[in-house]
Amino acid sequence: MMETIQAYLPSLIKASYFLAAILFITGLRRMSAPGTARGGIVWAGWGMLIATVATFLLPDMHNMVLIIAALVSSTVLAWVSGKKVAMTDMPQMVALYNGMGGGSAAFIGAMALFNAVDHLGGCTAGTIVDTATAHDCLSGVSMVFAIAGVFIGAIALSGSLIAFGKLQGWIDKRYVFPGQHFFNGLVALGTIGLGVYLTQDLNANYIWFFFGLSLLLGILMTLPIGGADMPVVISLYNAFTGLAVSFEGFVLQNEAMIIAGMLVGAAGTLLTQEMAKAMNRSLASVLFGSMGGSGGKAIEGEMKEIQAQDAAIQMAYADRVIVIPGYGMAVAQAQHKLWEMTEMLLDKGVDVKFAIHPVAGRMPGHMNVLLAEAGVPYDLIEDMEDINGQFAQTDVALVIGANDVVNPVAKTDPESPIYGMPILNVDEAKNSIVIKRGKGTGFAGIQNALFFADHNKMLYGDAQEAIAKLIQGLKAL
Amino acid sequence: MIDGFIALYIFALAAILGFEIIRKVPVILHTPLMSGSNFIHGIVLVGAMIALGHADTTLEKVFGFIAVFLGAGNAAGGYVVTERMLEMFKPRQKKQDDDGAGS
């Protein structure tokens, strides 16, 4: 009986990896539609569990204590931190976990390379040996993939950590110096050159150096990028990690890794492009350009203030209200209060909709997640393309901590750095109210013409407090 | 045994599949989807386990330990965060449907 199981074990393990790959694909597919999304992650989760259990059954596995120690300690840490983190901090957690995956792939690649160095004498050039079982020699193709995986994975690791630091507020500046692009370009070329050299002369010191340079490149690439572009960068590194995992999957001859990694690599690349497009930026300008500063004309006029009580009255007697949430709502954790206020307006027969700009907040869909957390049904939430035509028939547009995504200079001032970026047409609404903490400029550092418009009023204060006052105002009616 | 060309087929087919799945996704799901795909490349954990399972030298064991630690963090953290995000995508509740009928 035992012998039969032993005989079928390799096929059983292969079948488990196959099943995992299928579950990942169907899981991702289900995640791409709102109705089935919740189930999608569970499917993918089963795939992960099956693949992990199958790996324990592989023959010739050593260091079981080490494996279990690393697996259990990290799983517990990540599980607890993932459960505890506030919804508003999700983007940086995604960056952190993504960096870990990239790092894992990079270390796997480095191990394969070090192992190949140790056994260099015993290998003839070009031999293909199953590394998962013999684990001694690397074929030429495997070596190229291992090196490429180290390169991409290390960039994803260090770059994601910098992105995490920036979103967490630990690194609050953009580090820019003259000749930076040239310098970064040199480091990139040097690293790639060393990688190519490694394929000819594999040697332990150079592997260390190559790994270090790749990590450095990830840091250098990410430091000059402003916070507004961070979502695009995280998404890009997500795709990077996918690629690195896929490449190391080839080195280890593991089909589940190859398929899942490449699936994410491609999906992540497309997602990155869509995000960049929504911001009217090319990927190149995100990585190598820098946004913000001074460009554009100065704006004449004055910002007019409104009191919460008056704003509440204006909304209560409106037929149509569109709410535009932005990062200010996320920082203030105002989504619950916002939904409470919205329910009061709905009870009064006001038609309330939420308009979400593709890049509102720190990640595409960030606002949707927060609103969903507060219990806002998703059929009240509209994408930019669907709602932009409706502003002209809207009585009040309530902007909560959003700035650049409602700035009409994107349509009017060709000199402005955000010129051409699609915006929500709040300026077309009959009235608009902007909840904002102070008079400063937004993330991109550009003056907002909407704030100075005749039909616009400013409601100063923290989003949470301001909405609480609006609720009081509505109750008093 | 997966040779270079078989790998090329798998790479290409998986990449096309990835593109097709993401092509028609509403913006509302972008963040959860990024998080979900982040979880899926947590499969790197399996590779890290295989690598550590065959490690001989101290250096390899250290690297392998780090790889498993990082990979497990990717998988576990990615799952929890995605699950929490998607938990919120519940359809409109019955009560609200009744209330909202008049508006």
Side-chain angles (χ1 to χ4, degrees):
Chain A
M1 183 61 195
M2 276 315 285
E3 277 165 18
T4 336
I5 294 175
Q6 287 290 332
Y8 283 107
L9 198 56
S11 305
L12 192 68
I13 293 168
K14 286 269 179 197
S16 305
Y17 288 146
F18 174 76
L19 187 60
I22 298 297
L23 283 170
F24 287 149
I25 295 168
T26 38
L28 189 68
R29 194 167 160 65
R30 292 180 79 86
M31 270 189 265
S32 62
T36 54
R38 174 72 182 78
I41 183 65
V42 178
W43 284 46
W46 279 110
M48 192 69 72
L49 198 66
I50 291 169
T52 311
V53 170
T55 306
F56 275 112
L57 302 178
L58 276 174
D60 304 326
M61 290 281 279
H62 311 296
N63 306 321
M64 275 300 174
V65 178
L66 282 178
I67 294 179
I68 293 170
L71 183 69
V72 172
S73 60
S74 182
T75 302
V76 169
L77 274 177
W79 197 274
V80 171
S81 63
K83 280 276 183 209
K84 267 180 28 188
V85 68
M87 267 298 146
T88 38
D89 293 339
M90 285 294 175
Q92 52 262 50
M93 294 315 281
V94 174
L96 180 66
Y97 298 138
N98 172 53
M100 292 177 84
S104 183
F107 277 102
I108 293 171
M111 283 173 77
L113 293 177
F114 279 124
N115 199 288
V117 172
D118 290 346
H119 296 87
L120 215 51
C123 294
T124 46
T127 45
I128 295 174
V129 175
D130 188 344
T131 47
T133 51
H135 202 263
D136 282 348
C137 306
L138 275 182
S139 70
V141 185
S142 286
M143 196 198 296
V144 172
F145 278 127
I147 292 171
V150 170
F151 179 62
I152 302 169
I155 291 176
L157 169 62
S158 59
S160 294
L161 288 180
I162 298 291
F164 172 79
K166 286 200 177 206
L167 289 175
Q168 192 77 0
W170 293 347
I171 307 169
D172 53 355
K173 275 198 306 219
R174 294 174 49 225
Y175 292 87
V176 198
F177 55 86
Q180 189 167 28
H181 297 323
F182 183 71
F183 179 75
N184 289 0
L186 274 186
V187 175
L189 275 180
T191 315
I192 294 169
L194 185 56
V196 173
Y197 180 79
L198 274 178
T199 61
Q200 302 306 314
D201 178 14
L202 203 60
N203 129 0
N205 286 335
Y206 288 163
I207 299 172
W208 280 108
F209 195 43
F210 177 67
F211 200 161
L213 267 182
S214 304
L215 286 172
L216 178 71
L217 185 61
I219 297 174
L220 288 174
M221 271 171 66
T222 322
L223 276 177
I225 300 173
D229 287 330
M230 235 7 101
V232 183
V233 175
I234 295 175
S235 176
L236 180 70
Y237 291 149
N238 188 39
F240 273 23
T241 301
L243 272 185
V245 170
S246 191
F247 289 172
E248 300 308 343
F250 179 82
V251 175
L252 294 171
Q253 297 281 306
N254 185 294
E255 298 85 347
M257 278 173 80
I258 300 181
I259 294 172
M262 193 50 84
L263 191 68
V264 176
T269 305
L270 194 64
L271 205 55
T272 310
Q273 276 173 347
E274 281 196 10
M275 289 185 193
K277 205 166 67 189
M279 298 168 78
N280 193 40
R281 317 251 290 137
S282 70
L283 199 51
S285 68
V286 168
L287 292 176
F288 306 115
S290 45
M291 192 200 245
S294 50
K297 296 192 188 89
I299 296 159
E300 303 280 312
E302 209 183 330
M303 301 192 203
K304 291 162 288 294
E305 200 176 339
I306 190 172
Q307 295 306 316
Q309 182 64 43
D310 299 328
I313 293 171
Q314 210 175 22
M315 286 193 293
Y317 292 103
D319 290 328
R320 268 183 93 89
V321 171
I322 297 180
V323 179
I324 300 96
Y327 190 59
M329 182 195 81
V331 206
Q333 299 267 27
Q335 60 271 25
H336 298 281
K337 283 266 178 246
L338 177 60
W339 175 232
E340 193 184 333
M341 184 197 83
T342 307
E343 283 187 300
M344 293 173 78
L345 289 174
L346 288 172
D347 282 345
K348 290 183 189 297
V350 183
D351 176 16
V352 186
K353 285 273 159 55
F354 292 84
I356 311 280
H357 190 277
V359 294
R362 285 295 179 271
M363 282 176 128
H366 191 189
M367 290 300 127
N368 305 80
V369 171
L370 296 180
L371 292 178
E373 184 199 13
V376 179
Y378 58 71
D379 49 357
L380 290 189
I381 302 173
E382 305 258 1
D383 287 352
M384 180 171 65
E385 302 87 60
D386 300 326
I387 204 156
N388 248 351
Q390 301 176 24
F391 277 101
Q393 298 92 47
T394 297
D395 302 298
V396 181
L398 178 68
V399 179
I400 304 170
N403 192 339
D404 298 321
V405 298
V406 296
N407 192 345
V409 301
K411 290 187 289 190
T412 55
D413 179 5
E415 288 167 40
S416 174
I418 60 166
Y419 181 72
M421 178 172 104
I423 60 155
L424 287 163
N425 296 327
V426 175
D427 56 320
E428 291 176 6
K430 291 173 196 157
N431 295 286
S432 56
I433 299 168
V434 176
I435 298 180
K436 200 168 173 307
R437 268 196 286 200
K439 298 190 181 187
T441 53
F443 224 72
I446 302 154
Q447 285 282 359
N448 193 330
L450 174 72
F451 300 169
F452 298 91
D454 287 335
H455 60 272
N456 182 71
K457 301 279 194 310
M458 307 297 291
L459 179 56
Y460 291 114
D462 168 84
Q464 171 110 307
E465 290 162 20
I467 295 171
K469 282 184 197 158
L470 286 175
I471 292 174
Q472 280 174 12
L474 288 173
K475 278 184 184 154
L477 287 176
Chain B
M1 179 56 47
I2 309 165
D3 69 12
F5 273 103
I6 305 268
L8 202 60
Y9 279 110
I10 304 181
F11 283 150
L13 291 174
I16 292 167
L17 204 54
F19 275 119
E20 283 304 317
I21 290 176
I22 297 297
R23 193 182 291 282
K24 292 174 289 262
V25 172
V27 176
I28 179 169
L29 281 171
H30 275 181
T31 293
L33 206 61
M34 187 204 279
S35 182
S37 57
N38 178 36
F39 164 70
I40 287 176
H41 65 51
I43 188 68
V44 71
L45 168 63
V46 162
M49 287 169 66
I50 296 173
L52 179 53
H54 294 90
D56 306 318
T57 65
T58 313
L59 176 72
E60 283 177 7
K61 284 180 189 170
V62 172
F63 269 40
F65 188 86
I66 299 174
V68 173
F69 187 88
L70 292 176
N74 183 182
Y79 185 84
V80 174
V81 166
T82 312
E83 206 260 342
R84 276 184 63 191
M85 281 185 201
L86 292 175
E87 177 87 326
M88 300 161 194
F89 284 87
K90 293 182 208 110
R92 186 194 263 250
Q93 273 152 27
K94 194 95 188 108
K95 181 183 156 286
Q96 284 159 355
D97 262 330
D98 297 339
D99 289 352
S103 63

